[in-house]
Amino acid sequence: MTDDILTQQHQAFGATAAALVAGAQQVLDVHPGELPGLLGISDPMLGALVAGTRSRIGNAVATGRLIQLRQLIEDVASGAASRDDIPLALAQIRASTIPAVPGDVTARAGTPPAPVAGPPSGDWPAPTAQPQDWSPPTVPDPGPLFTVASLTYARSVVAQHVPQTPVIRWPLLEQQLGTELWVKHENHTPVGAFKVRGGLNYLERLRVHGARPAGLISATRGNHGQSLAFAGRAHGIPVTIVVPEGNSPDKNAAMAALGAHVITHGHDFQAALEHSQALAAQHGLTVVPAFHPWLVEGVATLAAELHEQVRGIDVVYVPVGMGSGIAAQINVRDMLGLATEVVGVVSTGAPAHAHSFTAGRPISTDVVDTFVDGVACRVPDPMACAVIRAGASRIVEVSDEQAAAAMRLMFAATHNLAEPAGSLALAGALAERDRLTGRRVAIVHTGGNCDADVLLRALG
């Protein structure tokens, strides 16, 4: 087994074959004998890869499946994916016909892979062996969550349902901020929020991978649920949504109108999430997480539009709930090789992502206390934290009073209604007004789904 072959495997797959086989066995409970059928290669070929006598598969589809397997192992090991997701994810990998895209690996340039001990005997690593290049449960920067080719396809999927949303300079907003300001109006989508892009891409990915679940289930404060309900209706797949007590009645009604079965449970989003996972196990439903690379890829279509509509953006402000919006901005910025600062904005009453950014690891809070329901995150997703930590410039915290003031300003200056989270990017920019002079600033108006009582509270 030569170091050159190990390096080539790492460059091709993001890890060595021996590490991936051991990871599949230890993390996913997949026996090595099942892997050739899963990947679509022969048993001798996989044995040669593990033994280090062969560097590559030579089949782009099989290589793509191996890369997807690596991602699944990392997600389950880190907690970014539930063990309940493993059967469907493996079925998706087995059915995948998406080839590996050149350059679509997570091996870091200039960082050679750590050496991996060869199998002690026979063709396979010992079940208890821990590969030396295996990632620990704390998630490092996962690297690109999608490729140029896959984002291009996602844009074609989303465009069938979501026309390009406008980006507008509003003079009254610029007077208040003191510099050039562009607003990306995601409140102009068919569900009034940006999340619809992620749901459409997620279900299209399932279709392409040959998976048709009996039903989907997820937890939400509203816009993620509307996204899945909208996409589920388009694909003819039943959707169940769990919301916490006291959730927006207008958002609940909108999800039901799109055909979703809405269940109320728990005092906050985390309680609703845990209940959705229990219901999935009871009824054979497929859980859709609040953060997933496929969701980020769909949301990235808005970031791609933004940078085409406005060139030379110096800084973009994005609300941070579960993280798909800011992760999309970071990945598109990096894909385009731009110098744009990406700044996240959270509520002071839901500071989990701000604390996580400072600590460099996921930090949960016991409670959330904010009327900005769209960012009421108590337990951050580990992968989202890693992406934000690696690619965001900072996280700004704003109070409920600042969010309400931004809602009033958005309405007065543009006559566009913003739900509390939809105003948060503007609130964050206003909080940093002094550092923005002379810079080209963009904000994402993420949604306008605001109940009448919340609007009256903000206007009052």
Side-chain angles (χ1 to χ4, degrees), residues 120-138:
S121 62
D123 293 331
W124 306 106
T128 57
Q130 184 73 4
Q132 294 179 21
D133 68 348
W134 188 245
S135 299
T138 53

Side-chain angles (χ1 to χ4, degrees), residues 167-458:
V167 180
I168 301 174
R169 291 180 66 179
W170 298 97
L172 291 175
L173 289 184
E174 292 189 334
Q175 283 183 10
Q176 292 296 316
L177 191 62
T179 195
E180 181 180 335
L181 177 66
W182 296 83
V183 182
K184 178 68 167 168
H185 281 283
E186 287 298 293
N187 56 311
H188 291 188
T189 73
V191 302
F194 77 105
K195 291 278 191 178
V196 67
R197 298 170 180 268
L200 287 166
N201 189 65
Y202 194 95
L203 266 73
E204 173 64 11
R205 282 280 205 163
L206 290 179
R207 186 194 69 79
V208 169
H209 284 69
R212 185 174 180 82
L216 302 177
I217 188 168
S218 192
T220 186
R221 292 304 303 258
N223 290 335
H224 175 60
Q226 289 186 72
S227 167
L228 294 178
F230 184 93
R233 185 176 68 176
H235 286 263
I237 296 176
V239 174
T240 299
I241 299 296
V242 183
V243 300
E245 298 164 0
N247 198 56
S248 161
D250 286 3
K251 289 180 180 177
N252 292 351
M255 288 184 283
L258 287 166
H261 176 45
V262 181
I263 298 172
T264 300
H265 180 91
H267 64 284
D268 65 6
F269 170 78
Q270 188 63 26
L273 173 64
E274 293 167 2
H275 187 61
S276 72
Q277 294 168 342
L279 290 177
Q282 293 172 16
H283 301 291
L285 303 176
T286 299
V287 175
V288 181
F291 185 90
H292 188 280
W294 294 351
L295 296 174
V296 176
E297 182 179 62
V299 174
T301 61
L302 84 85
E305 288 178 12
L306 173 60
H307 285 288
E308 289 175 353
Q309 292 165 305
V310 184
R311 304 288 182 174
I313 298 172
D314 293 310
V315 56
V316 58
Y317 287 84
V318 192
V320 183
M322 291 306 294
S324 63
I326 190 169
Q329 291 288 343
I330 289 168
N331 272 259
V332 170
R333 185 269 314 273
D334 294 347
M335 180 177 289
L336 296 175
L338 302 175
T340 306
E341 281 189 275
V342 178
V343 179
V345 188
V346 301
S347 166
T348 54
H353 269 292
H355 294 175
S356 300
F357 184 81
T358 300
R361 59 185 177 86
I363 300 290
S364 301
T365 60
D366 293 331
V367 296
V368 293
D369 182 18
T370 178
F371 90 117
V372 189
D373 56 348
V375 299
C377 169
R378 183 163 63 81
V379 181
D381 180 90
M383 182 182 289
C385 289
V387 174
I388 296 168
R389 173 72 176 182
S393 294
R394 57 193 174 276
I395 301 290
V396 178
E397 295 185 54
V398 298
S399 67
D400 280 6
E401 290 74 18
Q402 288 172 296
M407 287 178 66
R408 293 193 295 272
L409 177 58
M410 182 69 76
F411 183 77
T414 76
H415 291 162
N416 279 263
L417 175 62
E419 61 187 273
S423 73
L424 218 59
L426 176 59
L430 291 170
E432 296 199 325
R433 184 180 187 276
D434 291 344
R435 70 190 299 168
L436 298 177
T437 303
R439 307 190 75 191
R440 177 170 291 174
V441 180
I443 63 174
V444 182
H445 182 322
T446 52
N449 297 320
C450 183
D451 291 347
D453 59 343
V454 175
L455 176 61
L456 290 174
R457 172 183 171 184

Side-chain angles (χ1 to χ4, degrees), residues 1-186:
M1 185 183 300
T2 68
D3 290 342
D4 287 344
I5 289 178
L6 291 179
T7 299
Q8 290 170 18
Q9 287 187 5
H10 206 287
Q11 291 172 341
F13 315 134
T16 64
L20 293 173
V21 169
Q25 186 171 5
Q26 295 162 17
V27 179
L28 307 180
D29 297 325
V30 176
H31 190 276
E34 301 175 25
L35 287 174
L38 177 68
L39 301 174
I41 61 176
S42 68
D43 187 85
M45 178 181 290
L46 184 57
L49 289 166
V50 172
T53 58
R54 184 184 181 107
S55 61
R56 296 174 183 269
I57 293 175
N59 180 320
V61 170
T63 300
R65 290 177 182 173
L66 193 59
I67 292 172
Q68 293 174 51
L69 179 67
R70 182 210 67 222
Q71 186 64 61
L72 176 61
I73 295 168
E74 293 175 355
D75 287 350
V76 174
S78 69
S82 166
R83 295 195 63 82
D84 295 337
D85 298 334
I86 293 175
L88 175 60
L90 291 176
Q92 293 168 354
I93 292 172
R94 185 177 288 107
S96 174
T97 58
I98 298 177
V101 178
D104 184 21
V105 296
T106 59
R108 301 294 180 270
T111 305
V116 179
S121 62
D123 293 331
W124 306 106
T128 57
Q130 184 73 4
Q132 294 179 21
D133 68 348
W134 188 245
S135 299
T138 53
V139 185
D141 173 18
L145 298 183
F146 45 82
T147 66
V148 173
S150 68
L151 178 58
T152 300
Y153 182 72
R155 294 187 70 176
S156 71
V157 170
V158 171
Q160 296 176 41
H161 304 273
V162 182
Q164 179 172 281
T165 56
V167 180
I168 301 174
R169 291 180 66 179
W170 298 97
L172 291 175
L173 289 184
E174 292 189 334
Q175 283 183 10
Q176 292 296 316
L177 191 62
T179 195
E180 181 180 335
L181 177 66
W182 296 83
V183 182
K184 178 68 167 168
H185 281 283
E186 287 298 293

